[in-house]
């Protein structure tokens, strides 16, 4: 691994982080939020200082290319570094202690949307904006956005795109890596603008519309009110949000292709069709359950079911009602959609529907081969054959998620949290949802977690956002012993 290249790219990333803090600083200064302005000014200074320090040890030269190890290092260390720098406004402004600031920053950039702040309405608007921006930058991917607007990485930039893009397959839609990143970023920005305009038409203030649009398209879920969406009591807004959360659960690469080849690409995509089928079935079951068990009227039950299925399946985590008070069947289906998540290449977390499809098809193939030993067949997705290593990769990821869910739950039970609450927090955190059931239910926050559990939650959010193996590679001693170069 060429550590000089890694240091150089990390230097660019920290400078990018400092530039991202300028809008909240301007907002704080113009609104006379003096503590917030000072906190952002210090944060920007630290980002610039980190840039100069990193550039002292490294830098890019004309013929440099990023290999797979450099790609993994830049993605993992870059995400970690930005998340640490991102905690400074919370801590320096005196809004949170150090551990809570770390948890809020990791939650924001990972798109988990779990907050430790019990009353967000007392926060200055500049901090609220920074929370939403952290969701937005982390949604598509800090490094992917960086690649779209910063200088070329060389041919090896594909390794960085692979390291941060979610899902079992990493397909490229354009020949040049930077063009690919720019296309994804363009779709991301366009959807955010359309979403903000739609929320404004639904009655939100410009500030609330922009903040909620960023956290919706990023499927992060940070809000500007304690009651999040339920604060508004606006049926039109809930349907609108549900639509954009479902859209954000689709592959952004699919949208790039659809822009070039027509909307038919979307409806021919097997993964997206399956995702729509799953959430439609879940919403129907939950709506019926709410009507029968809780005596909801039909419109209220349907709206609540559609909204919360869209919210938890997309792993956004917006809350319109206290779904923790729903009947057991409804909560079971919400937990299932939370665990499954959205589509590969989306901003949603979770296991990803593509992996579920591949695993079911793989099991079916094994059964057929048991019955017909001479059968030669291959798993397909959207009518195209899938390589065996991709299928095995899906199985390995599923195993890793289950193991880490159990491990995190065990840590929390050791820390004094009950079994059911520990399982709920673990699944919610690993799926990047935020709210769940029990101790961190729809009306609760992560402030109730003990200190050890909060610290571990940061690590597991880091693991889940980069889909586990990128982080595990960084933790391998052999990863760092491949080169003497700095």
């Amino acid at each position: 691994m060429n550590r000089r290249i890694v240091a150089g790219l990390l230097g660019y990333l920290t400078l990018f982080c400092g530039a991202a803090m300028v809008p909240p600083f301007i907002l704080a200064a113009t609104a006379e939020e003096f503590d917030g302005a000072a906190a952002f000014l210090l944060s920007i200074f630290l980002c610039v200082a980190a840039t100069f320090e990193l550039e002292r040890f490294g830098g890019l030269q004309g013929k440099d290319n990023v290999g797979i190890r450099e790609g993994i290092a830049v993605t993992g260390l870059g995400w970690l570094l930005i998340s640490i720098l991102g905690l400074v406004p919370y801590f320096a402004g005196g809004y949170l202690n150090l551990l809570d600031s770390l948890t809020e920053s990791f939650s924001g950039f990972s798109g988990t949307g779990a907050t430790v702040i019990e009353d967000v309405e007392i926060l200055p608007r500049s901090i609220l904006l920074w929370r939403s921006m952290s969701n937005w930058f982390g949604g598509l991917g800090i490094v992917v956005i960086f690649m779209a607007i910063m200088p070329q990485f060389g041919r090896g930039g594909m390794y960085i795109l692979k390291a941060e893009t979610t899902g079992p397959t990493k397909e490229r839609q354009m020949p040049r890596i930077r063009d690919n990143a720019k296309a994804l970023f363009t779709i991301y920005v366009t959807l955010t603008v359309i979403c903000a305009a739609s929320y404004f038409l639904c009655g939100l203030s410009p500030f609330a519309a922009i903040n909620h649009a960023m956290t919706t398209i990023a499927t992060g879920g940070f809000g500007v009110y304690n009651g999040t969406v339920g604060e508004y009591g606006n049926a039109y807004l809930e349907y609108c949000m549900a639509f954009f959360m479902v859209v954000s659960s689709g592959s952004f690469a699919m949208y790039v292709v659809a822009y070039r080849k027509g909307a038919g690409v979307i409806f021919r995509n097997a993964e997206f069709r399956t995702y729509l089928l799953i959430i439609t079935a879940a919403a129907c079951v939950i709506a019926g359950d709410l009507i029968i068990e809780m005596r909801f009227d039909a419109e209220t039950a349907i709206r609540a079911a559609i909204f919360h299925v869209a919210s938890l399946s997309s792993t956004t985590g917006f809350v319109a009602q206290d779904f923790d008070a729903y009947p057991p069947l409804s909560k079971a289906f919400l937990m299932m959609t939370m665990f499954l998540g959205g589509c590969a290449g989306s901003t949603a977390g979770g296991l990803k529907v593509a992996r579920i499809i591949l695993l079911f098809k793989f099991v079916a193939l094994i059964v057929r081969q048991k019955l017909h030993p001479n059968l030669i067949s291959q798993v397909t997705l959207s009518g195209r054959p899938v390589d065996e290593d991709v299928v095995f990769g899906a199985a390995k990821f599923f195993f890793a998620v289950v193991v880490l869910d159990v491990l995190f739950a065990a840590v929390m039970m050791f820390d004094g949290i009950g079994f059911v609450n520990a399982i709920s927090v673990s699944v919610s955190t690993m799926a990047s949802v935020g709210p769940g059931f029990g101790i961190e239910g729809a009306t609760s926050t992560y402030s109730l977690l003990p200190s050890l559990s909060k610290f571990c939650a940061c690590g597991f959010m880091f693991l889940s956002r980069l889909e586990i193996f990128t982080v595990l590679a960084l933790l391998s001693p052999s990863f760092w012993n491949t080169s003497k170069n700095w």
Side-chain angles (χ1 to χ4, degrees):
M1 182 179 65
N2 192 322
R3 300 181 181 181
R4 173 182 54 78
I5 293 176
V6 172
L9 291 175
L10 290 177
Y12 281 132
L13 268 174
T14 53
L15 186 62
F16 171 72
C17 181
M21 292 182 180
V22 172
F25 167 72
I26 294 174
L27 177 60
T30 55
E32 298 184 354
E33 299 169 0
F34 299 113
D35 289 343
F40 280 109
L41 191 60
L42 174 62
S43 303
I44 293 169
F45 170 78
L46 290 176
C47 290
V48 173
T51 297
F52 278 110
E53 194 66 22
L54 286 165
E55 292 300 319
R56 282 182 57 227
F57 292 103
L60 296 178
Q61 298 176 359
K63 295 183 179 181
D64 282 338
N65 277 317
V66 181
I68 187 168
R69 291 179 185 271
E70 289 82 8
I72 291 172
V74 169
T75 302
L77 295 179
W79 197 97
L80 186 62
L81 184 58
I82 297 300
S83 296
I84 291 173
L85 289 170
L87 71 82
V88 178
Y90 305 116
F91 182 66
Y95 307 110
L96 296 171
N97 61 41
L98 183 59
L99 178 58
D100 284 350
S101 298
L102 183 70
T103 306
E104 194 77 7
S105 183
F106 269 69
S107 177
F109 283 108
S110 68
T112 304
T115 184
V116 296
I117 304 170
E118 295 185 0
D119 188 1
V120 299
E121 295 176 27
I122 65 173
L123 294 176
R125 287 157 66 92
S126 57
I127 292 294
L128 292 176
L129 178 61
W130 176 242
R131 291 172 79 242
S132 299
M133 289 178 66
S134 68
N135 264 180
W136 194 76
F137 284 119
L140 183 64
I142 301 167
V143 184
V144 173
I145 294 175
F146 172 65
M147 288 177 64
I149 62 179
M150 295 296 283
Q152 275 278 29
F153 281 13
R155 294 190 305 273
M158 186 60 187
Y159 295 119
I160 292 180
L161 198 62
K162 285 182 176 180
E164 198 173 22
T165 304
T166 60
T169 59
K170 296 355 185 227
E171 295 182 356
R172 153 163 69 155
Q173 294 74 47
M174 297 184 179
R176 298 178 66 219
I177 300 302
R178 191 172 183 228
D179 288 342
N180 205 72
K182 286 175 67 176
L184 293 172
F185 183 60
T186 300
I187 294 291
Y188 194 55
V189 171
T190 302
L191 285 175
T192 305
V193 171
I194 295 172
C195 184
S198 300
Y199 289 173
F200 177 73
L201 294 175
C202 286
L204 268 62
S205 67
F207 180 77
I210 291 170
N211 276 266
H212 282 99
M214 286 193 288
T215 59
T216 299
I217 301 302
T219 62
F222 276 155
V224 297
Y225 291 106
N226 296 328
T228 64
V229 181
E231 189 79 21
Y232 302 103
N234 186 329
Y236 296 108
L237 177 64
E238 290 175 25
Y239 284 122
C240 186
M241 281 188 161
F243 171 77
F244 281 105
M245 286 188 287
V246 171
V247 168
S248 301
S249 299
S251 167
F252 280 76
M254 175 183 69
Y255 297 141
V256 172
V257 177
Y259 176 76
R260 298 170 61 198
K261 298 183 178 180
V265 170
I266 297 174
F267 301 103
R268 290 192 297 270
N269 186 281
E271 182 186 19
F272 194 60
R273 291 202 313 269
T274 304
Y275 171 71
L276 293 178
L277 180 63
I278 291 171
I279 63 173
T280 300
C284 288
V285 171
I286 292 170
D289 194 37
L290 294 178
I291 292 171
I292 295 170
E293 296 293 333
M294 298 190 71
R295 299 293 188 261
F296 280 26
D297 63 84
E299 193 281 330
T300 302
I302 292 170
R303 171 158 52 96
I306 290 174
F307 181 86
H308 289 113
V309 166
S311 178
L312 295 189
S313 70
S314 67
T315 69
T316 307
F318 282 142
V319 177
Q321 294 179 354
D322 183 7
F323 54 76
D324 203 13
Y326 284 0
L329 179 63
S330 294
K331 291 198 286 188
F333 270 80
L334 288 175
M335 180 74 82
M336 176 198 70
T337 60
M338 177 194 304
F339 182 73
L340 296 181
C343 300
S346 70
T347 57
L351 190 62
K352 301 295 186 300
V353 175
R355 290 193 176 97
I356 298 299
I357 295 173
L358 291 177
L359 291 176
F360 271 99
K361 288 190 172 185
F362 184 50
V363 171
L365 177 60
I366 292 173
V367 172
R368 290 199 304 272
Q369 288 178 336
K370 285 291 183 183
L371 296 174
H372 308 284
N374 296 324
L375 175 68
I376 299 176
S377 185
Q378 191 172 12
V379 173
T380 61
L381 186 64
S382 293
R384 291 180 293 178
V386 179
D387 292 340
E388 281 190 359
D389 60 337
V390 174
V391 178
F392 290 135
K396 289 184 287 187
F397 184 82
F398 179 83
F399 174 76
V401 167
V402 172
V403 169
L404 289 172
D405 273 332
V406 172
L407 179 61
F408 187 30
V411 169
M412 286 186 287
M413 285 187 283
F414 172 79
D415 207 20
I417 297 176
F419 175 76
V420 175
N421 286 329
I423 293 295
S424 174
V425 174
S426 179
V427 172
S428 175
T429 301
M430 286 300 298
S432 300
V433 177
F437 305 97
I439 193 174
E440 41 77 72
T443 58
S444 303
T445 69
Y446 273 31
S447 63
L448 300 175
L449 294 180
S451 296
L452 175 60
S453 296
K454 283 181 186 175
F455 183 77
C456 290
C458 293
F460 282 93
M461 285 188 280
F462 182 30
L463 278 164
S464 64
R465 176 58 187 88
L466 297 182
E467 299 214 314
I468 301 171
F469 295 111
T470 296
V471 180
L472 294 182
L474 285 174
L475 298 177
S476 171
S478 61
F479 179 85
W480 302 100
N481 296 331
T482 57
S483 173
K484 299 295 183 181
N485 296 327
W486 175 254

